[in-house]
Amino acid sequence: MKRLLAFVLATVLALLPLSVFAAAETEEKIPCIIVPGIGQSRVWLTDENGELVLNENGEKINCFPAVLNVDSLLSQLAAPLAASVAAQRDVGFSDALCKAVENAFLMNATDDNGKECGRVTVETYPHSLASCTEDEKNYIFGCIPMERLCDTIGEENIYYYAYNSFGNALSMIDGLYDYIQLVKEQTGSDKVNIIPISMGGAIFNGVMELYPQVAQDINRIVFVVPALNGSTIVSDIYKKELTFLNADYLYSEFFDGIMNETDASAIELAIRILPKDVLMSALEKAVETLMDTVIRNCTGLWMLVPNEEYDECVRLNLADKSKAEIRRQTDIYHKAQSNSNKNILKLKNSGVEIFNVVAYDVALYNVGNSWNEQNADGVIHTFSTAMGTKMANVGEGLPKNYVQKNTYCKNPNHNHISPDRVVDASTGILPDNTFFFDGQSHVTANQNDIIMKLCCELVETNRIKDVYSDKNFPQFNVGRATKAIRTELLPAAETIDRSSLSAEDAAELDAAVNEANEMLSRTIAVAGEDKAIESRLRAILEKIGVVEPKKSDSALSPVVKKMSDFLFEKGGANGYTDIAKDAVENLTGTEPEEESTAKAPENSANEPNGTANVNKLPNTDRSGRKTKNTAVIFCTAVGAVAVCTAVIARKKKEEKACEEQ
């Protein structure tokens, strides 16, 4: 459940501009405001008196994305699930699931006026990092690891704008503008640099539109994977075009996109304990409950609906008169989003220096039906983050005869085609100021030490003017994630007494450490080197007993995977009793009615025969096949129950052991 909630949410980084005139040739220490991404602000649960609520361990309770207690959730669902499994029909299970979803997300609810009505408080920082507690500093740098700025511009010039990701859009926008004025007042500076991250970019869209005078407040903006045109994941949610509401996809592909193979296959086996109709109905009701509880009225999330999808999402969710005020507020932001590129160019023309950092060539999480339609960074489609830049789809390249368009770059000597021929940077509005990282995931952008170094360079001085200023930061680079190496493995290696090791182990440890440090000293990445170096360093540290070996499912995984694939191939998207009924009918000679288990999405006006969305979901042709070898299938189904029970039990045992440690 935690994994399913986590994948919807993600984080990104982006920088606000400072006026070019304030940053002359001197290395003036201009204050920097970080505007984090979704979920990168702590939102605490409070009681009716506004006091913080503590859990059984005396800890504050974070409300993003929900107040989720797994043990409580399981206890709520256990009885109705058991009854429904026993009766093989819905005996209160869907109602219990909806109630559990409602309770978990209730603190993030918004009323029909767009006002937050849950009991929460945001941990804000109306002062620089210098006045933050150690816990607050650790949290901030845990989200955005730019500690280097403490040494270059000083803690007194670093600010972090926190907000409720499920809050009111207009309040976030007003709050950011006011925060910029606060920083100027506290520091005595005429200008600020700003780094909007992911959803932070969406908030800054609103500031540009509603407060155009902000141009005089900003020296540099550094956008990092900014959600300037939302994410198609969010519009798919508002349209309820979700892959897991397609039975075929749920039983065969969905879980593979969000977890490891063993867990995915085990869940595919486990969900068959309910009849397909019961499970799918419960999921549809749970989605509608989540829409009613949080999503439909949350103007903050409406900021993440892509411009071109807005009208359809409004028609489906805000047509009722009771939603008039929500619609009024979302229309205001929609206008800001529509004018995003125009407003960015206005700022640039007024003297603000603007840069953009883009991750690409990672398919969107497979939650929405449009997950594989265009290039993305896993969370946001790159048309949004790269300000309209033309790219080939993930895993593909531009046509062989493609010629650079030079839509915004007029210099014939500039080559803006990426080495992999996926990106034509000349088609984005900032062709000379956008840095691209191939294969970089949105959620690990803050783990890419090169991106963090680049961001620091851009706000520490005005040395870098464009993608040609420093050969160590080229326009096209490769993504990597080095957090584990930097924060876990190398520190562990430093604690080891080499004299206690064999000559062979000491030599391998030194070689692995040197290789890691050499990679970290470079700002031009090589595809796959981060994973290989991490694997080598981890292997020697595991061998000498410094770090715990990672649990491996290698022996069990093929068995569970083959069992799940076999059941889907022969039994389709059905529960065990559905398969058994077909088996009995075949054994007795009764011909079962063939039924397509795929839930066909609504017809699109632009797609003939209503097949467009079905084609987006692979393997949808495998359902509804006539059951054969029924005895084998039935035995496999029985065995599957035992196997998935064993997998789940093992996972619970591992989790309990980790908690005890």
Side-chain angles (χ1 to χ4, degrees):
M1 188 62 160
K2 291 179 180 177
R3 292 173 186 255
L4 294 178
L5 291 172
F7 86 90
V8 180
L9 308 166
T11 60
V12 285
L13 180 52
L15 305 162
L16 277 170
L18 297 181
S19 171
V20 90
F21 304 110
E25 291 303 307
T26 62
E27 294 189 4
E28 179 184 353
K29 294 181 179 179
I30 299 174
C32 177
I33 301 172
I34 297 171
V35 187
I38 190 169
Q40 290 186 313
S41 300
R42 294 197 282 202
V43 181
W44 304 119
L45 181 67
T46 61
D47 60 21
E48 60 275 10
N49 299 316
E51 299 295 327
L52 292 172
V53 175
L54 305 180
N55 62 20
E56 60 273 13
N57 298 318
E59 302 165 330
K60 292 178 286 188
I61 300 173
N62 197 337
C63 296
F64 186 88
V67 179
L68 185 64
N69 184 307
V70 176
D71 290 336
S72 175
L73 178 65
L74 292 175
S75 67
Q76 293 176 59
L77 296 179
L81 175 59
S84 298
V85 169
Q88 287 296 287
R89 59 183 177 83
D90 191 349
V91 185
F93 173 67
S94 61
D95 290 340
L97 179 60
C98 290
K99 190 64 179 176
V101 169
E102 181 180 17
N103 289 339
F105 284 89
L106 194 59
M107 290 305 104
N108 292 314
T110 303
D111 64 22
D112 284 339
N113 292 313
K115 181 180 179 182
E116 302 156 49
C117 49
R119 296 196 302 269
V120 299
T121 185
V122 181
E123 180 178 287
T124 58
Y125 316 100
H127 44 66
S128 72
L129 208 69
S131 298
C132 288
T133 66
E134 284 304 309
D135 173 68
E136 291 170 341
K137 291 177 186 178
N138 290 336
Y139 174 75
I140 289 171
F141 285 134
C143 293
I144 312 299
M146 295 175 65
E147 294 93 333
R148 163 176 155 176
L149 292 180
C150 295
D151 297 325
T152 54
I153 67 173
E155 289 186 351
E156 69 277 8
N157 286 309
I158 304 172
Y159 286 78
Y160 193 84
Y161 176 67
Y163 59 91
N164 183 356
S165 301
F166 283 143
N168 181 275
L170 299 183
S171 295
M172 295 180 205
I173 294 166
D174 294 341
L176 178 54
Y177 179 75
D178 291 343
Y179 197 71
I180 293 170
Q181 308 314 310
L182 173 73
V183 172
K184 287 176 58 183
E185 180 182 350
Q186 289 188 0
T187 61
S189 176
D190 293 332
K191 305 281 184 179
V192 300
N193 290 322
I194 189 163
I195 305 173
I197 305 168
S198 187
M199 189 173 181
I203 297 172
F204 194 67
N205 266 343
V207 173
M208 290 189 293
E209 178 74 16
L210 300 181
Y211 298 96
Q213 67 271 25
V214 77
Q216 66 189 13
D217 301 323
I218 297 176
N219 174 55
R220 281 190 167 189
I221 304 172
V222 182
F223 288 107
V224 183
V225 285
L228 297 171
N229 191 31
S231 169
T232 56
I233 287 179
V234 179
S235 56
D236 281 345
I237 291 173
Y238 276 103
K239 293 188 292 184
K240 290 193 286 189
E241 293 183 357
L242 304 169
T243 56
F244 60 84
L245 294 183
N246 178 296
D248 273 350
Y249 198 70
L250 177 68
Y251 282 81
S252 63
E253 302 284 340
F254 175 70
F255 296 106
D256 287 328
I258 59 175
M259 58 185 65
N260 66 60
E261 182 181 89
T262 303
D263 289 348
S265 298
I267 291 178
E268 288 168 0
L269 295 173
I271 61 177
R272 292 178 183 271
I273 63 175
L274 287 171
K276 180 197 70 176
D277 292 343
V278 172
L279 177 62
M280 298 311 297
S281 176
L283 288 177
E284 289 171 0
K285 290 179 180 178
V287 167
E288 185 58 32
T289 297
L290 186 57
M291 295 293 295
D292 283 341
T293 304
V294 177
I295 296 176
R296 195 166 278 123
N297 280 3
C298 182
T299 58
L301 289 182
W302 275 98
M303 289 196 295
L304 300 178
V305 173
N307 179 56
E308 59 274 14
E309 300 289 343
Y310 179 73
D311 289 343
E312 177 65 5
C313 290
V314 164
R315 183 185 69 81
L316 294 171
N317 294 276
L318 303 180
D320 191 84
K321 290 182 179 180
S322 65
K323 305 298 180 185
E325 176 57 20
I326 299 293
R327 171 69 186 273
R328 184 190 72 81
Q329 295 181 33
T330 59
D331 280 352
I332 292 173
Y333 180 77
H334 176 57
K335 181 182 177 184
Q337 185 187 60
S338 302
N339 292 333
S340 178
N341 285 356
K342 181 172 69 174
N343 288 333
I344 288 172
L345 291 176
K346 279 184 180 179
L347 286 179
K348 180 184 176 184
N349 292 334
S350 71
V352 176
E353 292 184 282
I354 307 174
F355 300 86
N356 193 16
V357 179
V358 175
Y360 75 98
D361 233 24
V362 178
L364 288 173
Y365 284 117
N366 59 331
V367 62
N369 288 355
S370 62
W371 68 274
N372 58 355
E373 287 185 341
Q374 55 184 299
N375 210 295
D377 63 12
V379 174
I380 303 177
H381 55 294
T382 47
F383 187 80
S384 173
T385 59
M387 304 177 186
T389 300
K390 179 178 178 58
M391 297 189 194
N393 205 344
V394 174
E396 301 175 6
L398 296 168
K400 290 183 179 180
N401 60 349
Y402 183 87
V403 178
Q404 182 172 303
K405 300 303 181 184
N406 288 326
T407 312
Y408 291 94
C409 179
K410 305 305 180 185
N411 190 328
N413 297 319
H414 287 180
N415 175 26
H416 288 298
I417 301 291
S418 61
D420 55 11
R421 289 191 59 80
V422 173
V423 181
D424 179 1
S426 75
T427 58
I429 66 171
L430 299 177
D432 291 332
N433 293 74
T434 302
F435 299 84
F436 295 85
F437 287 80
D438 178 25
Q440 181 68 56
S441 167
H442 185 96
V443 297
T444 59
N446 63 345
Q447 296 183 32
N448 185 325
D449 55 298
I450 301 173
I451 290 178
M452 295 296 101
K453 288 175 183 176
L454 174 59
C455 291
C456 289
E457 288 277 355
L458 289 170
V459 297
E460 287 167 350
T461 71
N462 63 352
R463 181 181 67 82
I464 296 179
K465 297 292 186 181
D466 53 38
V467 296
Y468 308 105
S469 296
D470 189 337
K471 64 181 181 180
N472 293 308
F473 295 105
Q475 176 153 51
F476 298 107
N477 209 329
V478 174
R480 71 187 189 192
T482 60
K483 180 180 179 180
I485 295 173
R486 291 179 286 106
T487 65
E488 176 194 354
L489 302 181
L490 284 178
E494 291 175 0
T495 66
I496 300 170
D497 177 7
R498 265 51 170 187
S499 65
S500 66
L501 304 177
S502 68
E504 179 185 2
D505 286 346
E508 172 58 15
L509 177 61
D510 288 339
V513 168
N514 291 337
E515 186 179 33
N517 285 325
E518 192 278 330
M519 177 189 69
L520 294 174
S521 71
R522 290 184 280 108
T523 55
I524 298 178
V526 177
E529 67 174 349
D530 56 327
K531 293 183 177 62
I533 290 172
E534 179 183 341
S535 178
R536 180 185 185 183
L537 185 54
R538 187 179 295 278
I540 183 61
L541 291 174
E542 288 179 357
K543 181 181 179 183
I544 61 183
V546 176
V547 299
E548 289 290 326
K550 282 192 171 183
K551 298 283 191 303
S552 175
D553 295 328
S554 57
L556 185 60
S557 183
V559 176
V560 183
K561 176 65 175 173
K562 286 180 180 179
M563 193 171 287
S564 179
D565 288 347
F566 176 79
L567 283 174
F568 186 81
E569 179 72 18
K570 300 301 182 181
N574 287 297
Y576 293 120
T577 54
D578 299 324
I579 295 173
K581 287 177 182 177
D582 283 348
V584 171
E585 288 170 341
N586 282 335
L587 287 171
T588 58
T590 304
E591 188 70 20
E593 293 185 10
E594 293 208 1
E595 176 187 13
S596 174
T597 57
K599 182 180 183 297
E602 292 183 11
N603 192 8
S604 167
N606 298 319
E607 308 278 358
N609 305 321
T611 59
N613 287 329
V614 174
N615 291 334
K616 298 170 191 171
L617 305 176
N619 300 320
T620 53
D621 62 328
R622 294 193 293 173
S623 64
R625 295 183 178 182
K626 185 175 179 180
T627 305
K628 297 179 181 179
N629 301 322
T630 53
V632 174
I633 297 172
F634 185 73
C635 290
T636 302
V638 173
V641 176
V643 171
C644 66
T645 301
V647 171
I648 293 171
R650 176 178 55 78
K651 288 293 181 184
K652 285 183 70 68
K653 184 177 180 180
E654 290 175 0
E655 290 174 0
K656 184 176 181 181
C658 289
E659 290 174 359
E660 290 175 349
Q661 290 176 0

